[in-house]
Amino acid sequence: MKYLYILIALVTVFATSGNADDKVAAGSTGTDTAHMHANLPKVPEGADSIILAAGCFWCTEAIYQQIPGVISVTSGYIGGTVPNPTYARVCEGDTGHAEAAFIVFDTKKTSQDKILEYFWVMHDPTSLNRQGHDTGTQYRSGIFYHSDAQKVIAEKSKAEAAKEFTKPIVTEITKASEFYTAENYHQDYYRLNKDKNPYCSVVISPKLRKLGLKD
């Protein structure tokens, strides 16, 4: 489904602008730099990190970038069997990866509990391998923890969240395997493309408004 929106965005960009940077920002085949994988930020002293999968990583990134205490959000892939996957390869649905966000947060300003409070309301954790029109195992719901302490917090948070749903939560809670960053053009996606890719206004903006965040 996202490929359809990207195609629409490309047609719009080519019809209205000759700026190569705009074409790259819309997720097209632009410069080599745009398609290089992003660098993963270091976790500074006094901070922690967790990896969350909640459907499209463009949505996850756009939300957590606005959450107080979050230092950085990096889109990428986790949980698969193919090393160094590309976006196109993951979208084929046979690598086992989930689209996810590597979230670094300041433990003095927020907590894993607070991070997860947003997680449960920003997507439907009862939907198996699907969020809206985005379907496939790459869109599954998951919490990927780094330590036993994080696992305990995640399981407790899931149990509390389950009280708010009539259907069982299908979110996997799994020890984090290697996280592969997505290509540069996927990073900071909503901010750079909200006026270019219809997916942003149709899917991401309503989620931001639902959470009382800026769209």
Side-chain angles (χ1 to χ4, degrees), residues 165-187:
F165 296 92
T166 57
K167 295 188 293 184
I169 288 178
V170 296
T171 303
E172 65 174 282
I173 298 177
T174 308
K175 187 171 180 59
S177 55
E178 186 163 3
F179 178 84
Y180 296 98
T181 60
E183 296 83 341
N184 283 318
Y185 74 87
H186 288 298
Q187 311 302 330

Side-chain angles (χ1 to χ4, degrees), residues 58 61-62 188-194 200 204-205 208 215:
W58 298 341
E61 177 194 56
D188 206 11
Y189 193 87
Y190 179 74
R191 186 182 69 82
L192 295 174
N193 296 280
K194 61 182 178 180
C200 294
I204 304 177
S205 291
L208 294 172
D215 63 358

